[in-house]
Amino acid sequence: MFKLIMRFQDITVKEYTFESVPVKIGRRDDNDVVIDNMAVSGHHASVEKEEPNYYVVVDQGSLNGTFINEKKIERARIYDGDFIIIGKHSLKFEDLRPKGQRPLRIPGDELDRPAGGYRDTVILDTKAQQELLAKHAAERGVSLDGPREKPKKVELFGSLTILSGGTPQIIDLEKRLTVLGKSDDADVKCSGLLVGKTAALINKRPNGYFLAYAEGMKKPEVNGEAVTTQLQLHDGDQITVGNTRMTFHLREEIS
Amino acid sequence: MIVDAYTITDVGLRRELNEDAVYLDPDRELIMVLDGMGGHQAGEVASQIAMETMASFYTQHAHQPVRSTEMFEAYDECFTYHTNLLRQAALAANRAVLLKSLEKNERLGMGSTVAGIAIHGYTVSAINVGDSRLYLIRNGSIEQISRDHTLAEDQFERGILTREELRDSQLKHILSSVLGVDEELRVHMEELFVLPGDIVLLCTDGLCGVLEDAEMLGIIQQSPVGPETLTRLIDEVNARGGPDNATAALAVFSRDSQRDEE
């Protein structure tokens, strides 16, 4: 004998008590538990029995999958207090048999993990995702709303100060790619003999700014050294492309 | 820059159908891998539609002499026109798959991931949706440049899971952004300059879910990159049980000495 308590968006929708199995769950009317939602398959899952005294949940080849707590299952034992999650709905499982007749949860009783530990990828809609994430966080004793330590994010703010060989100005390097060269499309116009149309590129990456040589006989120089491939830029670096000289500045903000 | 590119897709040992898709245009300008999902062959439909929609949208607009920004739902000035175009192509594919999924009951909920690059001269535009990945291999090291859209990654960003816990979390198999499921779509964008010798690897989770990054790097570096490099990767995946469809593409960059020294 067991109970299934259907909840949807934190509201208890319905409670069911069952004496016998199988109990069928799905969108169609011929199920014992009908969930009227397009994310639920016609015949989605069932609760069955397994010797000697287990209840098991069996997915019936549903499109969006059946979960016990946060694990996707094909067939798995279910214990008092577990949640069956189907689409946006959750069904709390309460074992109504006397305690002595209920099976004990075997620690590490891995839910039917396929050989090799590989799992199917699953798609959940936004609402179901948020619920799962909140539940997962709660199990770990973390509130999604409360203050907690987030991984530090470093925001990078790079800029070029044109010193000579071009219009004196400060150019913020907000773009992921900044083109230096003779081309009319270049973000930083550089002059001089043998300077390429795309003489150099500056790439903003998560871990810093990088300068690369692209084309032209004249290679860009950083602190007097010619760059033939790429290098990471540091605050105060002096960059020369042909006749154009500039200074790179880098500011980091940690949030 | 000269680009050589190769692709491979394999059904694996456990699946009956290959729901992955791979795209390489004749000019080696656009490369994509996609991983379709959904029962009743719907996954196959999803990845095909997503691929065709993205390829035709991108190709149609990439070479227009006049660059109109009118068709963009969102235009990020920090990225080039081509990267924005690639994102817009993903948004168009999202709608196309969603519409197709509403035609038949058994297609409801079908979707596809995508990892794609567009190559222009010395730069690469990269986008991804879902858990298909992009890697940059440069100077003997491998770096993931895509961002997985999985609940595990979300929990990491919120500070609930650590990088180490993330690796074993069941949440990494639940996608938080997929083409064709929701009207809202998260697309991760990245831009890189490329250097001679650089390699970009694109793959579905049938490959990078089975092999570690370092293992893929080891196989790729065994000998000069060619079509057999991809065969070796797939052979290794199948030697470990071939649990899923596996798809990969490689773009190899080398210097065009005539043009570059001009």
Side-chain angles (χ1 to χ4, degrees), chain A residues 2-244:
Chain A
F2 63 94
K3 202 183 218 183
L4 290 176
I5 303 163
M6 192 199 292
R7 287 173 73 80
F8 179 70
Q9 297 185 356
D10 300 328
I11 297 159
T12 298
V13 183
K14 207 167 174 181
E15 290 192 20
Y16 304 84
T17 304
F18 296 103
E19 305 246 344
S20 60
V21 289
V23 167
K24 293 185 286 178
I25 306 167
R27 199 181 66 244
R28 300 222 175 103
D29 292 340
D30 59 356
N31 290 284
D32 302 298
V33 176
V34 179
I35 307 177
D36 184 19
N37 186 289
M38 290 314 274
V40 179
S41 296
H43 297 111
H44 199 106
S46 63
V47 181
E48 296 169 19
K49 261 189 162 167
E50 193 178 280
E51 291 301 322
N53 60 346
Y54 292 105
Y55 282 112
V56 291
V57 177
V58 183
D59 183 80
Q60 302 293 330
S62 70
L63 183 61
N64 283 313
T66 302
F67 297 76
I68 292 185
N69 302 331
E70 68 187 36
K71 288 182 180 135
K72 185 174 188 245
I73 57 111
E74 300 298 325
R75 177 189 178 92
R77 290 174 183 162
I78 189 163
Y79 300 93
D80 185 53
D82 283 347
F83 287 87
I84 306 170
I85 298 170
I86 290 176
K88 298 178 180 184
H89 291 70
S90 77
L91 293 163
K92 190 184 181 200
F93 177 84
E94 287 184 3
D95 198 331
L96 298 179
R97 295 172 297 184
K99 266 213 164 148
Q101 292 177 26
R102 296 183 208 164
L104 282 180
R105 189 189 295 268
I106 304 159
D109 179 10
E110 280 299 301
L111 299 164
D112 73 333
R113 182 187 282 264
Y118 196 86
R119 282 178 182 278
D120 278 343
T121 308
V122 183
I123 308 170
L124 284 182
D125 63 38
T126 318
K127 176 75 186 163
Q129 284 175 23
Q130 295 314 317
E131 285 171 4
L132 194 59
L133 289 179
K135 192 173 165 302
H136 174 257
E139 278 170 8
R140 300 179 67 87
V142 192
S143 160
L144 285 185
D145 307 317
R148 63 187 179 282
E149 217 170 299
K150 280 191 188 177
K152 295 230 177 343
K153 269 192 187 154
V154 181
E155 284 257 17
L156 301 172
F157 298 92
S159 66
L160 290 176
T161 305
I162 311 293
L163 303 173
S164 64
T167 316
Q169 59 178 318
I170 296 172
I171 298 171
D172 287 326
L173 300 172
E174 290 172 340
K175 293 163 94 177
R176 296 305 178 97
L177 282 167
T178 301
V179 177
L180 295 80
K182 265 186 179 167
S183 162
D184 290 340
D185 296 334
D187 301 292
V188 181
K189 303 269 185 307
C190 300
S191 61
L193 202 64
L194 304 174
V195 169
K197 281 185 170 177
T198 301
L201 289 155
I202 294 177
N203 197 178
K204 183 182 181 185
R205 302 290 325 278
N207 54 338
Y209 285 84
F210 295 81
L211 180 140
Y213 159 67
E215 62 185 16
M217 293 292 279
K218 189 77 192 159
K219 307 235 174 7
E221 291 176 10
V222 174
N223 300 329
E225 298 272 330
V227 178
T228 53
T229 56
Q230 65 146 5
L231 59 71
Q232 184 161 9
L233 293 173
H234 298 97
D235 187 46
D237 278 351
Q238 300 293 319
I239 302 170
T240 309
V241 179
N243 297 334
T244 307

Side-chain angles (χ1 to χ4, degrees), chain B residues 49-67:
Chain B
I49 293 172
M51 181 183 86
E52 286 162 14
T53 310
M54 283 189 70
S56 69
F57 185 95
Y58 184 86
T59 313
Q60 186 191 335
H61 295 286
H63 300 288
Q64 303 259 338
V66 181
R67 289 177 182 179

Side-chain angles (χ1 to χ4, degrees), chain B residues 12-237:
Chain B
L13 304 176
R14 302 265 182 89
R15 303 284 169 104
E16 284 180 14
L17 295 171
N18 190 347
E19 301 187 317
D20 283 1
V22 59
Y23 182 85
L24 168 63
D25 77 358
D27 301 326
R28 299 189 203 95
E29 195 177 300
L30 179 63
I31 308 173
M32 298 185 281
V33 297
L34 305 94
D35 179 358
M37 279 148 246
H40 301 98
Q41 302 176 14
E44 227 179 325
V45 176
S47 59
Q48 276 296 323
I49 293 172
M51 181 183 86
E52 286 162 14
T53 310
M54 283 189 70
S56 69
F57 185 95
Y58 184 86
T59 313
Q60 186 191 335
H61 295 286
H63 300 288
Q64 303 259 338
V66 181
R67 289 177 182 179
S68 153
T69 50
E70 270 174 27
M71 66 200 163
F72 292 96
E73 285 158 61
Y75 194 93
D76 189 335
E77 293 287 349
C78 291
F79 291 88
T80 60
Y81 173 78
H82 289 103
T83 307
N84 278 288
L85 196 58
L86 205 49
R87 171 168 69 174
Q88 190 57 41
L91 295 173
N94 185 47
R95 265 191 305 278
V97 177
L98 193 56
L99 278 177
K100 193 81 183 172
S101 75
L102 298 174
E103 284 177 7
K104 272 191 192 173
N105 237 346
E106 55 267 29
R107 284 188 185 155
L108 269 180
M110 72 175 181
S112 180
T113 69
V114 65
I117 60 169
I119 303 164
H120 279 273
Y122 304 99
T123 67
V124 164
S125 302
I127 61 131
N128 77 282
V129 176
D131 64 353
S132 291
R133 286 184 175 175
L134 299 158
Y135 291 92
L136 172 67
I137 297 166
R138 176 178 287 169
N139 295 333
S141 64
I142 185 165
E143 180 193 357
Q144 185 181 334
I145 52 178
S146 55
R147 171 95 51 85
D148 294 347
H149 293 125
T150 65
L151 294 197
E153 194 69 33
D154 289 0
Q155 289 302 62
F156 168 71
E157 278 175 23
R158 297 159 109 168
I160 289 162
L161 285 176
T162 64
R163 227 350 121 200
E164 289 68 41
E165 291 170 323
L166 193 155
R167 215 162 292 149
D168 297 319
S169 171
Q170 294 303 322
L171 294 179
K172 76 175 177 190
H173 298 291
I174 304 179
L175 303 184
S176 55
S177 188
V178 185
L179 295 174
V181 174
D182 212 317
E183 281 181 32
E184 298 275 311
L185 185 73
R186 283 199 279 166
V187 182
H188 180 69
M189 301 196 281
E190 195 64 62
E191 270 172 9
L192 302 169
F193 56 61
V194 276
L195 303 168
D198 282 355
I199 300 167
V200 174
L201 166 68
L202 302 87
C203 60
T204 60
D205 72 332
L207 177 64
C208 53
V210 175
L211 302 184
E212 299 282 339
D213 295 359
E215 292 173 323
M216 296 192 289
L217 178 66
I219 291 169
I220 291 167
Q221 288 189 317
Q222 273 174 21
S223 54
V225 173
E228 63 287 348
T229 309
L230 290 170
T231 314
R232 282 204 304 269
L233 284 168
I234 297 296
D235 287 349
E236 185 59 33
V237 166

